[in-house]
């Protein structure tokens, strides 16, 4: 269990700080005195000391979506400050709102180093009746927090071997974990992944996580970029800001987190996560600009910039997923390009696809969990720009003002084949404004499966 | 510009004969006649060239019969899939193959009128050339094509289809000329002067200078201009195709006009926040939004569109100098809102905001579309195939998306939102003029949106990636594209006429 423990209770425990969400224009009688002059608009807060203990009044405004309730739960935790325990009053709220309130609080309570909140009490009229709904939500929260924990770890701690070991530990939840090392990767011809990891002291790996589910159908596949640290390689990055490259494995972490969520809630849908894990660093054995690589798919790729390594490791991972697991749909998540940050900033991830239906489903799932996507195009010209004089295709282009996120997507599409595929470039959303990991993608993928891949007719 | 005519089919006596051929087409008309006259040489040549009529294919056969100097076969693809857009591309591909002939005839007997007219339009648009500053070019190297006769059995239908297209092509060429002109020639005063001749199309043209702008409170636009030796201008163009007459004579407007606003920075050095030297020469086309609006108004008037439309362009030059605006300056816009200038190279939005405010105050338009080569970020986001579209109105956005596809001027919608708007927060004024690198095109659009009246449908087209092409396009040689003229003309034609 990661983060604060959430318990459902029928009554608040005396002495524990109590967060009371109030809807605009509808303050119930017990709070009327405390709430005198309190408009209950969204964002409004009042911290009251009462003889029964501390009461936090939280303006809820007119919440319309689950994400509004999540925001309120997060606000409750922030308002509670360094408190170790907090009760959230959710009596008379619809089940969906109560669950979202606790979800937001549990997500906000997490901190990689300085978490003070240990326990959250969700106070509802019928704890037993709500328990199944909360268990499902808690699975997603755990998936997201697992993603964050991994993403927060520094590059010397979470090197490729350590990353693989953490994933192997997921076996206790019924996930089958198979980590392919250098030898097997060589046998498979994973020339792109091996090249990217060649400069590092820790060898690259391909981690394959499988959740069986109950349906006898092809799995949904999640493909993750797991660069444990990205120096840029020979095309080395500027020193400023390089420390943030510890989170260049957030895509792989999100895929693993989504699978964990599915396992914890015992999803009936089969799924597989294929995570390409490597450290991209400079060394005598590093790959070079100008190198031509043989990918697992048999295609040759001309390296233009060793800092565009994510698409290379994903190429092999995508091909592995397609050839070994024949998935019914495939989504890759990657902190792939600076261009997507220039394009969409830090409020939306970009989604590229060869299948508009899958794109719409992913976007709908993202909207439900507050992880917003925006569709981006792959144009004919983007693909044409990757024509190489020496190999089947170039990995990227060189020069200023390039649509590199679209180039990367055009590159990846070549390795998706006919499989319905979407690529989520999460470079702009992996960290929040404080620089902490968001876990973006874990909840989205879990919700996507829940919404669209657990329908009975998929048996 | 070659002259286009639609004629009855008859074997030409000289020049080129163009044969647009579909994959599944059977030789007929002039094609069959020529094959017969040449003793089957045409069929043998196409066979030898592996010409199958596929899209993008072409083959040239030299002097197969007395008089005809070359025969050019152009592939159209499958006839069932042939659209006007496909015909335009084929016409564009054809131009280069016949440019050295004085006359060409297109054997279009098998083509429907819109397809034949589309072929002619593509050819005409691709023939654009900006050569007024080439003084030493040899005669032999210049294109010579003067007349293109399109042979058709449906000459009347073709002529009807052609008349509006011809006016649109004129508008495209006007825009391309303006965008291509060097910045020492085309400064704000000159650019405004070049709008005047459009009066003969029935447009009403007003030109405002710094005195009027000061009175209107255009603090943002004037701030950008203040470093330049050339005065700024705003040009207001009105076309009253729905209510009739001119602005002076008309009685009562039949309806609110539609409004198009263009950014016209005739040269953008970046100002005090000066740009790097490499590639700065491209900044002559930083007035492409304005050039497009001018070309569009000419196209609407030229084809007598049944719409009331206004086009407004803000024309300035952004120069560093002793009088130039500084980073840190606070300017007051015509709307009354204040702006902290963080980066003098984010000047386009400062020009647009005053012009847009004025347009809404004066004309209360049904909708407003602005065009601007606004951000490098949109090139990083989308590349050169799509313009970035930002809109507060789903209907208008869908109309624009749909209008762009058939004319080869595609737009891609980009997001707006409160979270992005917050990036503009200033400590000293109502807003900053930049919101940082993340989402740079979006924050630019958010800035502009702050000057759009509540409830007014609006779209902003960031055309920085598509106004100029470093490669030949299907219907444009490399250089100025006039992106937006055809898109917005189509928008009006599809939804706002009659």
């Amino acid at each position: 269990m990661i983060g604060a423990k959430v318990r459902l209770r029928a009554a608040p425990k005396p002495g524990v700080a109590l967060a009371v969400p109030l809807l605009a224009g509808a303050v119930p009688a017990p709070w009327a005195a405390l709430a005198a002059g309190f408009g209950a608009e969204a964002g409004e807060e009042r911290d009251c000391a009462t003889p029964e203990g501390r009461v936090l009044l939280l303006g809820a405004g007119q919440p319309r979506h689950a994400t509004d309730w999540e925001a309120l739960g997060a606000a409750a935790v922030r308002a509670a400050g360094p408190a170790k325990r907090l009760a959230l009053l959710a009596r008379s709220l619809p089940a969906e709102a109560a669950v979202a309130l606790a979800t937001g609080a549990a997500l906000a309570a997490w901190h990689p180093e300085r978490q003070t909140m240990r326990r959250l009490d969700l106070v509802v009229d019928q704890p037993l009746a709500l328990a199944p709904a909360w268990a499902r939500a808690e699975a997603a929260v755990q998936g997201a927090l697992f993603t964050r924990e991994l993403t927060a770890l520094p590059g010397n701690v979470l090197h490729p071997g350590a990353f693989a070991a953490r994933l192997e530990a997921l076996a206790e939840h019924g996930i089958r974990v198979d980590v392919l090392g250098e030898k097997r990767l060589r046998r498979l011809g994973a020339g792109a992944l091996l090249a990217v990891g060649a400069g590092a002291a820790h060898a690259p790996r391909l981690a394959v996580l499988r959740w069986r589910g109950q349906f006898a159908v092809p799995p949904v596949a999640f493909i993750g970029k797991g660069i444990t640290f990205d120096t840029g390689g020979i095309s080395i990055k500027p020193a400023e800001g390089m420390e943030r490259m510890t989170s260049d494995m957030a895509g792989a972490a999100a895929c693993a987190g989504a699978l964990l969520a599915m396992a914890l809630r015992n999803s009936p849908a089969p799924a597989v996560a294929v995570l390409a894990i490597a450290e991209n660093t400079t060394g005598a054995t590093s790959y070079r600009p100008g190198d031509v690589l043989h990918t697992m798919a048999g295609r040759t790729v001309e390296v233009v910039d060793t800092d565009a390594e994510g698409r290379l490791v994903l190429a092999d991972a995508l091909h592995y997923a397609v050839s070994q697991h024949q998935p019914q749909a495939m989504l890759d998540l990657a902190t792939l390009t600076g261009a997507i940050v220039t394009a969409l900033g830090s409020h939306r991830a970009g989604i590229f696809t060869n299948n508009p239906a899958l794109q719409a489903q992913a976007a709908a799932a993202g909207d439900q969990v507050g992880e917003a996507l925006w569709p981006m195009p792959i144009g004919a010209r983007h693909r044409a720009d990757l024509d190489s004089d020496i190999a089947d295709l170039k990995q990227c282009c060189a020069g200023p003002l390039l649509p590199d996120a679209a180039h990367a997507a055009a590159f990846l599409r070549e390795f998706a084949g006919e499989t319905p595929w979407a690529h989520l470039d999460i470079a702009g959303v992996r960290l929040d404004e404080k620089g902490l990991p968001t876990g973006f993608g874990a909840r989205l993928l879990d919700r996507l499966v829940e919404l669209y891949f657990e329908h009975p007719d998929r048996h | 510009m070659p002259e286009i005519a639609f004629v009855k089919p008859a074997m030409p006596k000289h020049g080129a004969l163009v044969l647009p051929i579909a994959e599944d087409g059977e030789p007929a008309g002039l094609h069959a006649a020529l094959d017969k006259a040449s003793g089957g040489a045409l069929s043998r040549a196409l066979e030898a060239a592996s010409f199958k009529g596929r899209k993008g294919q072409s083959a040239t056969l030299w002097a197969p019969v007395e008089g005809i100097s070359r025969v050019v076969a152009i592939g159209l693809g499958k006839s069932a899939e042939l659209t006007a857009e496909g015909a335009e591309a084929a016409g564009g591909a054809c131009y280069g193959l016949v440019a050295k002939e004085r006359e060409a005839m297109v054997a279009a007997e098998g083509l429907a009128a819109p397809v034949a007219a589309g072929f002619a339009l593509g050819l005409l648009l691709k023939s654009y050339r900006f050569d007024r500053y080439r003084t030493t070019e040899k005669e032999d190297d210049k294109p010579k094509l003067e007349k293109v006769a399109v042979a058709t059995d449906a000459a009347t239908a073709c002529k009807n289809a052609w008349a509006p297209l011809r006016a649109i092509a004129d508008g495209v060429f006007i825009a391309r000329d303006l965008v291509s002109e060097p910045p020492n020639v085309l400064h704000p005063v000159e650019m405004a002067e070049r709008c005047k001749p459009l009066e003969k199309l029935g447009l009403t043209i007003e030109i405002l200078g710094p005195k009027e702008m000061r009175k209107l409170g255009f603090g943002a636009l004037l701030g950008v201009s203040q470093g330049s030796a050339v005065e700024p201008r705003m040009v207001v163009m009105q076309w009253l195709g729905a209510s009739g007459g001119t602005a002076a004579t008309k009685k009562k407007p039949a309806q609110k006009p539609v409004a198009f606003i263009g950014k016209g920075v005739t040269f953008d050095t970046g100002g005090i926040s000066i740009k790097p030297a490499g590639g700065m020469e491209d900044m002559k086309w930083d007035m492409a939004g304005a050039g497009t609006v001018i070309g569009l108004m000419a196209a609407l008037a030229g084809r007598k569109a049944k719409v009331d439309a206004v086009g407004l362009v803000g024309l300035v030059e952004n120069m560093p100098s002793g009088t130039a605006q500084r980073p840190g300056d606070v300017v007051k816009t015509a709307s009354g809102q204040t702006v902290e200038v963080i980066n003098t190279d984010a000047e386009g939005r400062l020009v647009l905001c005053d012009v847009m405010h004025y347009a809404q105050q004066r004309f209360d338009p049904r909708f407003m579309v602005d065009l601007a080569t606004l951000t490098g970020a949109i090139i990083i986001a989308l590349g050169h195939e799509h313009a970035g579209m930002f809109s507060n109105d789903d209907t208008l956005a869908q109309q624009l998306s749909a209008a762009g596809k058939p004319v080869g001027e595609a737009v891609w919608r980009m997001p707006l939102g409160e979270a992005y708007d917050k990036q503009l927060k200033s400590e000293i004024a109502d807003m900053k003029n930049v919101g940082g690198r993340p989402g740079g095109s979006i924050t630019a659009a958010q800035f502009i949106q702050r000057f759009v009246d509540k409830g007014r449908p609006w779209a902003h087209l960031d055309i920085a990636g598509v106004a100029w092409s470093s490669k030949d396009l299907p219907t444009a040689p490399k250089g100025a594209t006039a992106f937006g003229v055809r898109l917005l003309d189509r928008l009006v034609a599809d939804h706002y006429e009659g």
Side-chain angles (χ1 to χ4, degrees), chain A residues 228-244:
Chain A
T228 59
F229 192 81
D230 182 15
T231 64
I234 297 297
S235 314
I236 198 162
K237 290 177 187 289
E240 192 186 321
M242 203 202 275
E243 70 281 1
R244 286 196 297 275

Side-chain angles (χ1 to χ4, degrees), chain A residues 150-151 153-155 158-160 163 192-198 200 204-205 224-233 237 242 244-253 275-281 287 306-314 333-336 430:
Chain A
L150 287 175
T151 307
L153 289 172
L158 195 82
H159 52 70
F163 195 178
L193 174 59
L194 286 167
V196 170
R205 279 134 171 109
K225 170 186 172 185
I227 301 297
T228 59
F229 192 81
D230 182 15
T231 64
K237 290 177 187 289
M242 203 202 275
R244 286 196 297 275
M245 287 302 120
T246 59
S247 56
D248 208 18
M249 33 55 70
L275 313 179
I277 299 172
E279 183 178 346
N280 184 25
T281 191
Y287 77 129
T306 64
D307 195 18
E309 82 297 336
R311 64 200 75 178
L312 294 174
V313 303
L314 286 172
L333 270 75
T335 50
L336 209 61
R430 70 192 198 275

Side-chain angles (χ1 to χ4, degrees), chain A residues 396-448:
Chain A
C396 65
C397 298
L401 292 183
L402 290 169
D404 187 47
H407 283 154
F411 179 88
L412 293 176
R413 187 177 61 182
E414 296 293 308
F415 297 89
E418 301 298 310
T419 306
W421 157 83
H423 155 57
L424 277 63
D425 193 338
I426 60 171
V429 293
R430 70 192 198 275
L431 302 177
D432 66 16
E433 56 276 27
K434 290 190 194 118
L436 293 176
T438 57
F440 189 104
R443 295 178 68 209
L444 184 154
L445 292 177
D446 175 59
R447 184 62 62 93
L448 173 75

Side-chain angles (χ1 to χ4, degrees), chain B residues 55 74-76 82-95 111 114-127 162 165 168 172 176 404-409 473-476 486 490:
Chain B
K55 256 188 204 173
I74 293 283
L76 297 174
L82 184 59
T83 58
E85 189 188 4
E88 284 178 24
C94 170
Y95 171 72
L111 304 180
V115 173
F119 189 93
L121 179 65
L123 191 152
L124 181 62
L125 290 175
K126 191 65 176 267
S127 78
W162 178 248
L165 296 181
I168 292 164
V172 167
R176 287 183 186 169
K405 275 181 200 136
V407 298
E409 297 183 349
L473 298 176
T475 58
R486 299 189 61 199
R490 178 60 73 102

Side-chain angles (χ1 to χ4, degrees), chain A residues 300-322:
Chain A
T300 55
V301 175
E302 178 188 3
V303 177
V304 172
D305 184 329
T306 64
D307 195 18
E309 82 297 336
R311 64 200 75 178
L312 294 174
V313 303
L314 286 172
D316 279 346
L318 286 166
H319 180 76
Y320 182 88
V322 169

Side-chain angles (χ1 to χ4, degrees), chain B residues 382-458:
Chain B
L382 299 175
H384 305 284
E385 276 162 295
H386 294 95
M389 170 177 66
F390 301 82
S391 182
N392 62 0
D393 188 277
D394 289 346
T395 305
L396 180 60
Q398 278 155 14
Q399 290 173 345
L400 280 163
S401 289
K405 275 181 200 136
V407 298
E409 297 183 349
V411 299
W412 189 269
R413 194 167 185 187
M414 294 287 285
L416 292 165
E418 203 184 320
Y420 296 105
D421 195 65
K422 282 186 183 151
Q423 291 177 226
L424 295 172
K425 196 173 173 329
S426 163
E427 299 298 327
I428 187 174
D430 296 333
M431 70 200 88
K432 297 190 292 194
N433 76 328
V434 288
R437 186 183 77 96
S441 306
I442 305 173
T443 53
Q446 292 291 158
F447 180 97
I448 295 171
Q449 190 178 21
R450 289 183 175 215
F451 298 87
V452 176
D453 296 342
K454 215 172 167 192
R456 184 169 327 273
W458 156 78

Side-chain angles (χ1 to χ4, degrees), chain B residues 349-369:
Chain B
R349 61 201 76 178
L350 294 170
V351 174
L352 286 171
C353 71
D354 281 345
V355 178
M356 286 170 63
H357 178 76
Y358 175 85
Q360 293 171 98
Q361 292 287 108
R362 177 163 170 197
F363 295 108
D364 186 23
R366 293 169 77 177
F367 72 77
M368 179 166 59
V369 175

Side-chain angles (χ1 to χ4, degrees), chain A residues 103-124:
Chain A
T103 298
L107 288 170
W110 178 86
H111 191 283
E113 304 299 330
R114 296 188 301 276
Q115 179 165 338
T116 51
M117 188 68 73
R118 294 290 156 208
R119 186 141 174 199
L120 293 164
D121 300 326
L122 183 64
V123 181
V124 293

